[in-house]
């Protein structure tokens, strides 16, 4: 993977997400340019530990922030540029933050779709047909 800065506006969101997930799987640090809730641009180097969806369909990253030294949440929509580094994770994850609730785990695409549909439409029973 290249060490050059990638501008998210110049590529699809699927490509951005794929690169970030690949970095997480390879335990590679990522430097992001991020627009925070106040509209201010900040640069952070993070270690991504989880990629989740919000109830409104947004995608968020749960990552250890090397600047703050703690677990933080970043919205992928607010990442304007990123660089995946060769350096591996170095920050210890606090024990209470390291555990992922079992309700968020899906081993297959079908399980993930079921989980998302059940979250959005809890009153219905969904069965995927292959």
């Amino acid at each position: 993977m290249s060490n050059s800065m990638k501008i998210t506006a110049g590529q699809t969101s699927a490509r951005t997400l794929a690169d970030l997930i690949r970095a997480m799987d390879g335990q590679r640090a990522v430097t992001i340019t991020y627009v925070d809730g106040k509209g201010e641009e900040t640069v952070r180097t993070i270690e991504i530990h989880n990629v989740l969806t919000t109830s409104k369909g947004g995608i968020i990253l749960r990552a250890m922030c090397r600047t703050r030294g703690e677990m933080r949440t970043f919205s992928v929509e607010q990442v304007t540029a990123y660089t995946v580094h060769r350096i591996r994770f170095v920050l210890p994850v606090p024990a209470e933050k390291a555990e992922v609730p079992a309700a968020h785990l899906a081993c297959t695409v079908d399980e993930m779709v079921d989980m998302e549909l059940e979250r959005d439409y809890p009153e219905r029973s969904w069965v995927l047909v292959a």
Side-chain angles (χ1 to χ4, degrees):
M1 191 169 289
S2 172
N3 243 8
S4 63
M5 183 67 76
K6 295 187 180 182
I7 309 299
T8 58
Q11 64 185 23
T12 65
S13 57
R15 171 66 190 267
T16 299
L17 189 56
D19 286 348
L20 295 174
I21 290 172
R22 211 172 292 117
M24 177 183 71
D25 288 344
Q27 295 189 345
R28 305 286 185 187
V30 179
T31 297
I32 60 172
T33 303
Y34 184 81
V35 178
D36 66 16
K38 299 174 189 173
E40 297 175 11
E41 192 172 83
T42 183
V43 176
R44 301 282 179 92
T45 298
I46 61 174
E47 300 174 1
I48 304 169
H49 288 276
N50 209 347
V51 178
L52 303 165
T53 58
T54 66
S55 61
K56 295 181 180 179
I59 300 172
I60 57 173
L61 307 172
R62 290 291 293 156
M64 289 297 293
C65 175
R66 288 188 175 176
T67 302
R68 303 276 187 229
E70 57 189 34
M71 189 67 74
R72 296 292 204 170
T73 300
F74 301 91
S75 170
V76 173
E77 291 176 349
Q78 293 174 276
V79 174
T80 59
Y82 63 96
T83 300
V84 177
H85 301 285
R86 289 186 212 131
I87 189 168
R88 300 261 184 193
F89 291 179
V90 295
L91 295 176
V93 179
E96 67 274 3
K97 303 287 185 179
E99 295 181 20
V100 176
H104 291 286
L105 296 178
C107 296
T108 67
V109 173
D110 288 347
E111 287 176 356
M112 181 175 225
V113 170
D114 279 343
M115 184 177 68
E116 293 295 319
L117 288 171
E118 187 175 313
R119 182 199 65 205
D120 293 341
Y121 305 98
E123 67 282 354
R124 296 184 180 167
S125 176
W126 295 97
V127 178
L128 288 178
V129 178

